Amino acid sequence: MTGDEDIAGINYYARRKLYHHVVTVCESALRRKPADPVLLFWRAFGWIMEGRSNEALRELQNLMEKRDLVLACPTAMIYAHERSKLVDHEAIEELQARLTIASSSASLSEQALVQVALFHWHTANLDSAKEWLRKTLDMYPNSFAGLTAMGWVELASGHENLGLKANTWFDRVLEKSSKDLEALMGRLTFLRKKRRQLTPALDITAQIIVYNPTFIPAYIERMYVLLEMAAWDQVVEAAQRLVGLMPDSIDAMLAVCLNELCRDGNYRMATTYLMNLNKTLAKVEPGNAELYASVAAPFIRLAARRPNVLDQCAQLLERAISLRPDVSSYKTELAYVQLLLGNIPQAKDIYQSASKLDPHNPHALHGLIRCQLFNGQFDAAEEQLEILHEVQMVMGRSAEIAYLSSLLAWYKYNDASKRMRHLKDAVELQLGVVNNGTLRLDYYVLVNPDFLLEIVRDYMDHCPTDAKRPGEDLNPIVRICHDLLQVICRIVPGCTEAVYNLAKVEFLSGDFVAAQVEAAKCLKLDATFAKTHILMSQIHLSNSHAQLATQSLETGLSSSFELRHVPLFHILKGKAQKLEGQLEEALKTFTFALGLPGMKESGKGVKKVPSIKQSDTAPSLGERLTLHVELADTYTKLKRVPEATKIMQDALRIFSGTPEQDRITIANADLCVERGEIDAALRTLGGIEPDSPYFIEANCRMANIYLKHKNDRKGYARCYSKMVERNPTIESCILLGDAYMNIQEPEQAIAVYESALESNPEGVVLASKIGKALVKTHNYSRAINYYESALSNESPMGSTLRYELAELYKKLKQWDDAERVILEALEHPKTDEMEILVQDVKSYLLLAQAYKGGMKPDKAVTALLHARDLQIHILAKDPSSVESKSHRIVASNICFELAELHANEVKDTDKALGYYNEAIQYNNMHKKAMLSLAKLHLQRNDLAAAQAQCSTMLRTDVASDQATLMLADIMYRKNSYAAAAFHFRQLLETGGGGGGGAPGGTGGIGGMVGGTTNYNALMRVVEMTRRSGKLEEAKGFFEIVEKRDGKVHLHPGWHYCKGLYARYTNNPNEALKEFNFCRRDAEWGERALYNMVEIFLNPGNETIGGEALESVGDGGSGDATGGHDVEGGGGAGKTDTELLAILTADKLLKELPQHPKSLRTQVLECQALMATKQKPEIERALSRLMEILNVEREYVPALLGMAVAYMLLKQPPRARNQLKRISKMDWTDELADDFEKSWILLADIYIQGGKFDLATDLLKRCLQHNRSCAKAWEYLGHIMEKEASYKDAAEHYESAWRLEGETNPAMGYKLAFNYMKAKRFVEAIDVCHRVLGTHPDYPKMRKEILERARSGLRMP
């Protein structure tokens, strides 16, 4: 540390009256510069201020002759003698004479003049300091020390003008020496205290630290500047840095303790820090009584009346009193501590002692009056207050006196209006102090957060007990409490009780979201604060979330068993049980609560006195009445009317004459309704006067009676009209409008809403209601115009209105407008408010829907990512709160939507997999995500992962039926037919829900199921047995279903499965009958229509476009009907039956959903065009298929359709290219039939080209996935026949013949031919007889096969 730093440090600590620090700095410097006279002088100064005058005088005597101290030494010695108990007047006279002689010298050094001026400054003799500094500047105009000292002295003066002028002195020095330490410190203090320019002040601290890195005061000042900026994290960081430089820094300890109390609300840690601070003070400033008292004062007011913190403050004050027992203010502070601890007698005694020391100490007088009020000595307190009222007319008004007057008005005279007036005065006066200061230790003393909270508690006594209804005017007391609590929470954000009360006020204001946010903050500060759990339960009940309400109560009970004695705990628990229909349990809960102390007492005639500690178990008047009403209502719902009547009689006896009496009247009316005395109920409710706070509720009950029990719609509306006439508030107008909406008269509702909005343009709820009413009337254009107009007026409800308008645009499929409005709603400054964050998440989700509707999947993904990031931020803000469950569900849904987009639109299965897993992490019961994840694993052919996911669902009983169904499918994929059949049989025998899957294709895994029989499982059985080549076994499963449910024939799902079975067994007519039965069903109809269209377009399941089987070979069995030639026009080559089939298919296609039209439907339409075999129609179909592929590049049905079109147009190479693309794709269950058809058509092309090996590979691939593919067996037989391997050909044809139900004559002909060629004449004859039995005129069968086979048998 340099010499300049030594003097600057001495001045700094002397300014703060930390005199032992002055001594310490001097002694540290003297070790570097022994016998430095200036340092020795200031050490002596420190001794004088600490009361060690004798040591100081001896030291100063030795410095008398030093040239730089010729003025300062005599002055200091005179000061020391005057502070001694025994004043040596002779020595003072001698020193005075010496000082006079020295001051008249013309050769005084600059240092001599400056040192004596500094001494006068630090001893608060500012006038003498100024005289010496003027003399200094006269003799030495460029004295930096003189200029900076003059700036400091003027800064210390109480005159505003001089204080502002001080900066010019510092500027004069800094213009010539920009690094002058004292001048920089002066400017820093000027900016902080006079201008409150904290950012420039902070920059100066950084500048000083750079120039003087070992100068401790700079670090201290930086920390305090950050404190004034409320930058708590940086304050703690600065304090830690300070401790590293100066381990015993009381300033660092003060800052850390302040952080624990003000921001973190950690009273336990604060107690520990205060203990350490107490020990450190005894070490570094052992005799500084003023410091002890000044340290204790702010923490007393920040302790939130916690005994541990207050005890430490009391120890600090006791130490201060032991050092200076004659100071009245120290005792006043100690008495205040005792008062906050509830020790009224001790507090009174100490206040009296303080008053004796200083009869004019106002705080002691205020404290004595408080003690009198708390002891019920209202007359004595009133006399004292009258005197103080007279005094304050001269001295100025006091917030404390106004508050004491409010206590007297309420507890002595029970005058609520007078109490409110005095409390209002107290608030105005105290807020004047709040708004005129910055965060410093003394600021907390002046503001006194505890006093503000005390005012809030008194206001809360007069707040309503129930939340504000929509449209109801906010209670003015609630508004005052809200504003006051926001101030307190800004000053002391870690005050648990303040945050709790703010949450409660938000609840009473009807803002449940804000209340929930504040309550979550409170629980984050102190998870054991039981009252917050009760409040959280109230919030959940207001949102009708009974389970969450019960969960909050249980959490609160686990943190404090005292809740068992709190009546409100049991009231809320009973309400939650009622909401869940547990009436008997609710009755037990209410009955137990009724037996708690104080619940049946009337409270009349009991003298009220104020109390420092409010009882958490004492029930309020409203709670007691609520319990009686709830208990009576529970009895009523249990049809125990006599018990309910008795409870209401007791309530009438206890609460008659109280402001809550009308609630009993309403409850009695409910009893009348239960007894069937409707007219009596109406008369009872009609007796409640318009000036009653329950007038609106009574009229609402009357209206409901008219509507529900008398079916009188006019009487219903009349009740609300009367309400508006007698009490024309926004709330009553909203209720009238809602009533009109309830009776389906939206036009009248709109008129009421608009008239109310005209009288109160700020009625933000009305704007939303008008818009919704217009939407309900389907007057969409007017609704849009209204919303746009309301938004142009900058409505305070802008975000809500924009969201509703965007929803309307989305409903109308005006995607661009929806996008525009949502983006406008998201244009606001960045904030961390929970309510805005939640709304932004909703907006981003709606934006994603708009992008999806507008076919912008990439932008939809971006919007969902924004929503996900915001939701993760919301979760990070309070991951442990009860509400985090609902936030996690939202996060899970967002991740699910992202996964769906990536899986279905973006086609990025890796990312989809990640988001599905993330969705399940946030909500391990997310049914859709778990099913979709398993399905995606199946699509990726990761059977092990899919099986593991299904096992998880079965273990957690999430979508167990769907999981079993999918597990069966997995077993089949793993070639475990028996295991798959077991799972299917289990589903069908137990009847685990029944229904269908997603429309589109017969091969897909089903979706949601519900009902008595799982027809989706039955459909999968048909698919599995078909693909396993065991289709005949499906009959057994049909029999199981028929035995379980005799009414299966009435269910569309049954007919769909039967139709599927008939189609697969080559019985198209029967299939059409079954599909026709269910084609109009919402669940099965779409799939049935797809099958019907395919049957009409290709009843014989031919290979459309293929010609290999139709070509005639020499001596072969090929059909001689010719190929699929394209007609030139007019349909001349078509039979009437074929044309009728095409027309029917067209008609059925129109029955499929058209808005939007699925890709599958579009492909079927193209197939219908191609079925005409007319070249223009085929080319038209080809063009449309290309358009589909522009949207979905890898859509297999569209690629197959193009290949068919090219084959019909006699362009095999182009067809082959499309089919090769398909052959390289991974097989999927959903498009199984399309893959098979494409492979067969490609095999047909290879066969025509003589590439039998390639064709065989494709056909075997078909049979690998579907052992019942008759066409594949037929083509294999054709290849064997071409190779003259008649035995093998017969075996393949035999499989095809069997799979087609032995009804296809062409297949019979081929089989008989190859039996004959293989010398199996008997089998050939049998097949001929079967074919001729159904088709007696089938060409060539009799002559070429039957007769030749018989001849073969006759040959020897």
Side-chain angles (χ1 to χ4, degrees):
M1 186 179 282
T2 64
D4 287 343
E5 289 182 15
D6 293 334
I7 297 302
I10 290 167
N11 284 329
Y12 177 77
Y13 292 120
R15 284 196 303 275
R16 295 184 57 197
K17 300 183 181 180
L18 300 177
Y19 300 117
H20 197 75
H21 279 67
V22 172
V23 173
T24 304
V25 170
C26 291
E27 288 178 346
S28 175
L30 284 166
R31 283 193 286 272
R32 290 182 282 103
K33 296 184 286 185
D36 184 292
V38 174
L39 293 174
L40 291 169
F41 169 78
W42 285 109
R43 183 175 67 175
F45 163 79
W47 286 342
I48 293 170
M49 304 309 287
E50 284 189 301
R52 297 160 61 185
S53 296
N54 291 333
E55 294 176 60
L57 286 168
R58 285 195 296 271
E59 184 74 72
L60 290 169
Q61 188 66 44
N62 297 328
L63 299 173
M64 289 283 285
E65 301 303 325
K66 299 297 182 181
R67 182 170 181 265
D68 290 343
L69 300 172
V70 292
L71 297 174
C73 273
T75 304
M77 291 177 75
I78 292 168
Y79 186 79
H81 279 297
E82 288 175 344
R83 286 172 61 93
S84 300
K85 291 181 180 179
L86 297 174
V87 181
D88 187 344
H89 294 288
E90 289 184 10
I92 290 174
E93 289 177 4
E94 183 181 337
L95 289 166
Q96 193 66 52
R98 187 182 183 95
L99 180 61
T100 303
I101 295 168
S103 61
S104 61
S105 173
S107 60
L108 289 170
S109 68
E110 178 188 345
Q111 274 296 326
L113 293 166
V114 170
Q115 294 303 319
V116 70
L118 291 176
F119 180 84
H120 281 301
W121 168 34
H122 291 311
T123 54
N125 189 353
L126 299 181
D127 291 336
S128 298
K130 275 190 180 181
E131 289 181 17
W132 285 111
L133 287 171
R134 289 194 190 100
K135 191 171 183 179
T136 303
L137 294 175
D138 287 340
M139 295 176 66
Y140 303 97
N142 295 321
S143 169
F144 287 176
L147 291 168
T148 54
M150 182 64 85
W152 277 113
V153 170
E154 291 196 350
L155 199 59
S157 67
H159 301 293
E160 185 67 23
N161 292 334
L162 290 177
L164 296 174
K165 186 182 175 184
N167 196 42
T168 59
W169 299 102
F170 301 133
D171 286 342
R172 286 175 62 182
V173 175
L174 292 171
E175 285 173 4
K176 297 178 181 178
S177 177
S178 60
K179 297 182 181 180
D180 188 280
L181 185 53
E182 274 289 11
L184 286 170
M185 288 294 288
R187 175 177 281 180
L188 166 64
T189 307
F190 171 79
L191 291 172
R192 265 188 65 198
K193 296 186 176 179
K194 294 298 179 182
R195 291 289 176 84
R196 294 184 185 174
Q197 297 178 357
L198 299 178
T199 303
L202 191 67
D203 294 339
I204 291 177
T205 61
Q207 189 178 349
I208 295 172
I209 290 170
V210 170
Y211 295 154
N212 306 274
T214 59
F215 185 58
I216 300 296
Y219 295 93
I220 296 172
E221 287 298 295
R222 180 175 181 81
M223 184 184 70
Y224 282 124
V225 171
L226 290 168
L227 174 63
E228 291 177 29
M229 297 173 76
W232 289 104
D233 289 329
Q234 295 180 62
V235 169
V236 174
E237 186 181 330
Q240 291 170 346
R241 187 177 182 186
L242 184 56
V243 168
L245 296 169
M246 186 180 183
D248 291 330
S249 170
I250 58 174
D251 295 291
M253 292 182 182
L254 281 169
V256 173
C257 189
L258 203 61
N259 175 71
E260 294 296 336
L261 287 175
C262 288
R263 186 182 71 158
D264 295 343
N266 193 337
Y267 300 99
R268 187 177 301 169
M269 285 301 300
T271 303
T272 304
Y273 285 130
L274 277 173
M275 290 174 63
N276 296 334
L277 181 59
N278 208 334
K279 293 175 184 176
T280 305
L281 283 172
K283 179 181 176 183
V284 300
E285 286 288 337
N288 198 332
E290 186 178 350
L291 179 62
Y292 279 97
S294 64
V295 166
F299 296 125
I300 293 168
R301 290 151 179 83
L302 293 169
R305 305 190 179 184
R306 303 295 175 105
N308 292 340
V309 180
L310 290 174
D311 286 342
Q312 292 300 317
C313 295
Q315 290 180 29
L316 289 167
L317 290 166
E318 285 165 0
R319 174 65 177 162
I321 292 169
S322 68
L323 292 170
R324 292 291 305 276
D326 57 324
V327 180
S328 174
S329 61
Y330 300 168
K331 290 193 173 184
T332 304
E333 286 295 306
L334 183 58
Y336 186 45
V337 172
Q338 295 300 326
L339 189 71
L340 295 179
L341 286 168
N343 302 326
I344 307 300
Q346 295 93 318
K348 185 176 180 181
D349 292 341
I350 300 172
Y351 274 129
Q352 287 174 340
S353 175
S355 188
K356 288 177 183 176
L357 287 173
D358 182 5
H360 302 293
N361 183 345
H363 300 295
L365 294 173
H366 298 163
L368 282 169
I369 296 172
R370 268 183 179 261
C371 292
Q372 290 169 340
L373 289 168
F374 291 151
N375 286 328
Q377 300 170 351
F378 298 133
D379 294 335
E382 188 170 21
E383 290 177 9
Q384 294 293 329
L385 279 171
E386 287 175 358
I387 296 170
L388 287 176
H389 279 303
E390 296 295 329
V391 171
Q392 76 171 356
M393 291 178 68
V394 179
M395 303 296 294
R397 294 194 304 160
S398 162
E400 180 75 15
I401 294 173
Y403 178 72
L404 295 173
S405 300
S406 76
L407 291 178
L408 182 70
W410 178 244
Y411 288 101
K412 182 177 180 181
Y413 297 105
N414 199 28
D415 189 338
S417 59
K418 198 171 183 180
R419 185 189 199 188
M420 291 297 104
R421 285 199 303 273
H422 288 306
L423 284 175
K424 184 180 179 183
D425 290 342
V427 169
E428 288 176 356
L429 292 167
Q430 197 64 14
L431 287 182
V433 176
V434 171
N435 297 327
N436 290 324
T438 53
L439 293 182
R440 297 194 299 268
L441 285 172
D442 58 344
Y443 176 75
Y444 291 104
V445 179
L446 296 170
V447 169
N448 196 351
D450 188 272
F451 177 55
L452 290 172
L453 260 179
E454 202 167 17
I455 295 173
V456 169
R457 290 188 204 103
D458 287 1
Y459 267 125
M460 295 289 280
D461 289 341
H462 301 274
C463 282
T465 55
D466 296 324
K468 180 180 82 70
R469 298 181 294 268
E472 182 185 2
D473 292 336
L474 184 62
N475 188 298
I477 298 175
V478 174
R479 183 179 285 108
I480 292 169
C481 289
H482 183 270
D483 295 343
L484 196 52
L485 284 164
Q486 282 196 321
V487 170
I488 298 171
C489 290
R490 175 170 54 82
I491 299 167
V492 194
C495 180
T496 312
E497 188 172 357
V499 178
Y500 161 76
N501 279 303
L502 181 57
K504 189 171 183 179
V505 167
E506 295 284 13
F507 170 72
L508 295 175
S509 303
D511 191 344
F512 299 143
V513 174
Q516 212 165 339
V517 170
E518 295 302 328
K521 285 182 187 176
C522 188
L523 290 175
K524 189 174 182 180
L525 291 170
D526 184 0
T528 64
F529 197 71
K531 290 193 292 185
T532 311
H533 292 288
I534 289 180
L535 176 60
M536 194 69 88
S537 178
Q538 285 180 287
I539 296 167
H540 289 314
L541 279 177
S542 298
N543 290 323
S544 299
H545 297 157
Q547 191 173 359
L548 289 175
T550 304
Q551 185 180 342
S552 292
L553 292 173
E554 289 172 353
T555 307
L557 187 61
S558 66
S559 28
S560 174
F561 287 110
E562 288 298 315
L563 280 184
R564 290 176 298 179
H565 307 297
V566 177
L568 185 56
F569 172 84
H570 298 284
I571 293 171
L572 295 173
K573 183 179 178 183
K575 282 185 173 183
Q577 289 167 336
K578 277 179 64 180
L579 198 60
E580 291 188 311
Q582 302 171 10
L583 294 178
E584 292 291 348
E585 294 299 319
L587 184 62
K588 292 177 185 177
T589 304
F590 289 138
T591 305
F592 177 82
L594 196 63
L596 292 173
M599 291 305 297
K600 293 184 178 180
E601 299 169 5
S602 65
K604 297 173 185 176
V606 179
K607 184 180 180 181
K608 296 185 298 183
V609 293
S611 173
I612 284 291
K613 296 182 178 178
Q614 294 182 337
S615 172
D616 289 333
T617 59
S620 66
L621 177 68
E623 290 169 2
R624 287 160 53 214
L625 180 54
T626 297
L627 177 59
H628 282 80
V629 172
E630 289 291 338
L631 186 54
D633 184 61
T634 307
Y635 275 127
T636 303
K637 283 183 169 60
L638 290 169
K639 308 301 181 183
R640 295 166 63 176
V641 178
E643 289 96 329
T645 305
K646 185 179 182 303
I647 290 292
M648 293 314 302
Q649 289 171 350
D650 292 342
L652 191 61
R653 175 180 54 80
I654 296 171
F655 302 106
S656 62
T658 67
E660 303 289 324
Q661 186 173 345
D662 285 337
R663 286 183 66 190
I664 304 173
T665 306
I666 293 172
N668 276 322
D670 291 340
L671 270 176
C672 290
V673 172
E674 188 63 30
R675 291 195 296 261
E677 302 169 1
I678 305 302
D679 292 331
L682 291 172
R683 284 194 301 273
T684 302
L685 292 168
I688 296 177
E689 298 297 326
D691 59 348
S692 168
Y694 298 101
F695 174 74
I696 289 179
E697 184 179 351
N699 274 269
C700 290
R701 298 289 179 97
M702 289 176 68
N704 286 332
I705 291 171
Y706 275 116
L707 188 62
K708 292 179 181 177
H709 298 279
K710 285 181 167 282
N711 199 23
D712 185 352
R713 290 157 59 95
K714 289 184 178 179
Y716 173 77
R718 191 166 56 248
C719 287
Y720 288 106
S721 298
K722 182 176 70 172
M723 197 189 308
V724 174
E725 289 171 9
R726 298 188 181 183
N727 191 14
T729 63
I730 291 294
E731 180 188 13
S732 59
C733 290
I734 288 176
L735 288 171
L736 177 58
D738 291 348
Y740 281 127
M741 291 293 289
N742 288 338
I743 59 176
Q744 305 301 317
E745 295 185 10
E747 292 295 342
Q748 287 183 275
I750 293 167
V752 172
Y753 291 143
E754 289 180 338
S755 65
L757 192 62
E758 286 175 8
S759 60
N760 186 0
E762 300 301 319
V764 292
V765 178
L766 290 164
S768 176
K769 285 189 172 288
I770 293 172
K772 289 177 180 176
L774 289 168
V775 171
K776 192 166 185 178
T777 61
H778 302 289
N779 196 342
Y780 298 129
S781 59
R782 187 179 166 195
I784 289 171
N785 292 336
Y786 172 77
Y787 276 124
E788 296 284 9
S789 175
L791 289 171
S792 65
N793 295 331
E794 297 184 359
S795 168
M797 208 177 175
S799 60
T800 303
L801 295 178
R802 281 193 174 88
Y803 186 82
E804 291 175 6
L805 176 57
E807 280 194 315
L808 177 55
Y809 277 132
K810 186 195 83 171
K811 182 178 181 179
L812 299 174
K813 293 184 170 51
Q814 297 180 18
W815 309 115
D816 292 338
D817 288 321
E819 177 187 341
R820 170 181 59 80
V821 173
I822 301 168
L823 290 174
E824 287 174 3
L826 290 168
E827 288 178 1
H828 58 73
K830 190 175 181 181
T831 180
D832 211 34
E833 290 185 26
M834 184 68 79
E835 187 176 358
I836 296 176
L837 291 175
V838 170
Q839 182 61 42
D840 282 355
V841 170
K842 289 174 63 181
S843 297
Y844 275 118
L845 289 175
L846 187 58
L847 181 61
Q849 292 178 36
Y851 283 139
K852 282 171 67 178
M855 306 300 290
K856 300 174 183 177
D858 293 337
K859 288 190 175 183
V861 168
T862 304
L864 285 171
L865 286 173
H866 282 304
R868 171 176 167 271
D869 293 342
L870 282 175
Q871 194 63 29
I872 290 172
H873 179 62
I874 290 170
L875 279 169
K877 281 171 71 69
D878 194 8
S880 61
S881 70
V882 176
E883 292 68 42
S884 67
K885 183 177 180 180
S886 60
H887 291 317
R888 292 179 71 83
I889 289 172
V890 173
S892 179
N893 291 336
I894 293 169
C895 292
F896 174 73
E897 290 297 330
L898 274 166
E900 289 287 286
L901 266 176
H902 281 94
N904 302 322
E905 303 292 339
V906 184
K907 304 298 181 185
D908 188 339
T909 56
D910 291 332
K911 285 188 177 180
L913 206 63
Y915 286 124
Y916 280 134
N917 281 312
E918 191 175 344
I920 295 168
Q921 284 176 6
Y922 284 121
N923 178 15
N924 58 8
M925 304 295 282
H926 198 298
K927 187 175 180 180
K928 290 183 179 179
M930 297 175 88
L931 284 169
S932 297
L933 179 59
K935 186 176 179 182
L936 185 60
H937 283 312
L938 270 178
Q939 288 177 356
R940 291 161 63 95
N941 209 31
D942 189 348
L943 300 182
Q947 186 174 352
Q949 183 61 40
C950 290
S951 300
T952 302
M953 286 190 281
L954 289 171
R955 188 172 60 253
T956 55
D957 198 28
V958 175
S960 56
D961 293 332
Q962 294 94 322
T964 304
L965 181 59
M966 205 174 293
L967 196 58
D969 207 57
I970 293 167
M971 292 297 104
Y972 168 67
R973 294 272 196 97
K974 295 172 81 172
N975 296 318
S976 179
Y977 177 83
F982 168 78
H983 288 299
F984 281 128
R985 184 172 284 105
Q986 184 182 34
L987 270 176
L988 294 172
E989 287 178 348
T990 58
T1002 58
I1005 296 296
M1008 309 297 291
V1009 292
T1012 56
T1013 301
N1014 195 328
Y1015 291 106
N1016 196 54
L1018 185 59
M1019 181 191 75
R1020 292 298 297 151
V1021 165
V1022 175
E1023 288 287 342
M1024 179 192 73
T1025 53
R1026 175 201 177 205
R1027 295 189 183 285
S1028 302
K1030 301 176 181 180
L1031 191 56
E1032 65 279 359
E1033 294 185 13
K1035 293 179 181 178
F1037 290 93
F1038 280 108
E1039 291 172 1
I1040 291 172
V1041 174
E1042 276 190 294
K1043 288 178 182 178
R1044 266 204 80 258
D1045 185 1
K1047 297 181 179 180
V1048 291
H1049 300 283
L1050 300 177
H1051 198 286
W1054 168 264
H1055 289 281
Y1056 178 82
C1057 296
K1058 292 287 286 183
L1060 209 58
Y1061 179 80
R1063 184 182 179 191
Y1064 292 155
T1065 53
N1066 198 28
N1067 191 348
N1069 292 329
E1070 183 64 24
L1072 287 172
K1073 289 179 185 177
E1074 297 291 350
F1075 287 137
N1076 190 58
F1077 185 92
C1078 58
R1079 82 178 218 247
R1080 300 195 186 281
D1081 183 68
E1083 185 177 1
W1084 297 93
E1086 190 171 342
R1087 282 177 286 184
L1089 285 168
Y1090 285 141
N1091 280 278
M1092 291 178 76
V1093 170
E1094 288 174 356
I1095 292 171
F1096 277 117
L1097 293 179
N1098 187 11
N1101 198 26
E1102 302 295 331
T1103 306
I1104 301 175
E1107 297 179 351
L1109 296 179
E1110 282 119 11
S1111 60
V1112 181
D1114 295 335
S1117 63
D1119 190 3
T1121 56
H1124 296 284
D1125 293 330
V1126 175
E1127 302 292 340
K1134 287 286 177 189
T1135 67
D1136 291 342
T1137 303
E1138 290 173 332
L1139 289 173
L1140 182 61
I1142 295 170
L1143 290 173
T1144 306
D1146 282 332
K1147 181 181 177 183
L1148 292 172
L1149 282 168
K1150 290 181 173 63
E1151 293 183 18
L1152 287 164
Q1154 302 293 312
H1155 303 289
K1157 191 182 289 184
S1158 69
L1159 293 179
R1160 187 173 183 81
T1161 301
Q1162 295 177 52
V1163 171
L1164 282 175
E1165 289 176 345
C1166 294
Q1167 289 178 5
L1169 292 172
M1170 290 188 287
T1172 62
K1173 304 295 174 63
Q1174 297 181 29
K1175 186 174 181 181
E1177 297 299 315
I1178 295 172
E1179 290 174 345
R1180 185 174 153 211
L1182 189 61
S1183 175
R1184 289 175 63 179
L1185 289 166
M1186 288 179 177
E1187 291 175 5
I1188 294 171
L1189 289 171
N1190 287 335
V1191 177
E1192 191 75 34
R1193 288 179 55 82
E1194 305 296 322
Y1195 191 53
V1196 174
L1199 290 170
L1200 173 61
M1202 286 186 67
V1204 170
Y1206 283 132
M1207 289 298 292
L1208 293 175
L1209 293 171
K1210 306 300 181 183
Q1211 300 177 19
R1214 289 187 175 183
R1216 185 172 58 245
N1217 290 338
Q1218 303 299 328
L1219 294 170
K1220 281 184 177 179
R1221 283 177 63 185
I1222 298 174
S1223 67
K1224 294 175 183 177
M1225 296 180 187
D1226 293 331
W1227 181 87
T1228 63
D1229 191 54
E1230 289 82 356
L1231 299 174
D1233 289 344
D1234 297 291
F1235 275 104
E1236 288 173 18
K1237 290 174 183 176
S1238 65
W1239 294 337
I1240 287 171
L1241 182 56
L1242 183 57
D1244 186 288
I1245 295 171
Y1246 284 146
I1247 290 170
Q1248 290 184 64
K1251 300 177 180 178
F1252 295 149
D1253 291 343
L1254 294 176
T1256 302
D1257 290 342
L1258 287 168
L1259 295 169
K1260 286 181 178 179
R1261 193 194 301 185
C1262 272
L1263 293 173
Q1264 179 186 345
H1265 291 287
N1266 182 8
R1267 299 292 298 174
S1268 296
C1269 183
K1271 276 295 171 188
W1273 290 112
E1274 184 179 0
Y1275 273 102
L1276 282 171
H1278 181 75
I1279 292 171
M1280 294 298 104
E1281 185 180 352
K1282 287 282 187 182
E1283 293 177 348
S1285 179
Y1286 299 114
K1287 182 179 178 181
D1288 292 334
E1291 289 179 1
H1292 293 316
Y1293 282 135
E1294 183 181 359
S1295 295
W1297 169 250
R1298 177 177 51 82
L1299 289 169
E1300 290 195 348
E1302 301 181 356
T1303 59
N1304 187 339
M1307 185 64 65
Y1309 179 86
K1310 295 175 185 177
L1311 176 59
F1313 179 82
N1314 282 276
Y1315 274 150
M1316 183 185 70
K1317 287 289 187 180
K1319 310 297 184 184
R1320 295 171 63 182
F1321 300 118
V1322 174
E1323 289 89 340
I1325 293 169
D1326 287 343
V1327 171
C1328 287
H1329 282 307
R1330 190 174 292 269
V1331 173
L1332 292 171
T1334 55
H1335 298 80
D1337 298 325
Y1338 194 78
K1340 301 183 183 180
M1341 177 66 81
R1342 191 181 301 276
K1343 183 178 180 180
E1344 293 190 4
I1345 300 177
L1346 180 60
E1347 293 178 1
R1348 291 171 64 184
R1350 284 172 177 171
S1351 300
L1353 281 174
R1354 296 193 198 100
M1355 290 176 68

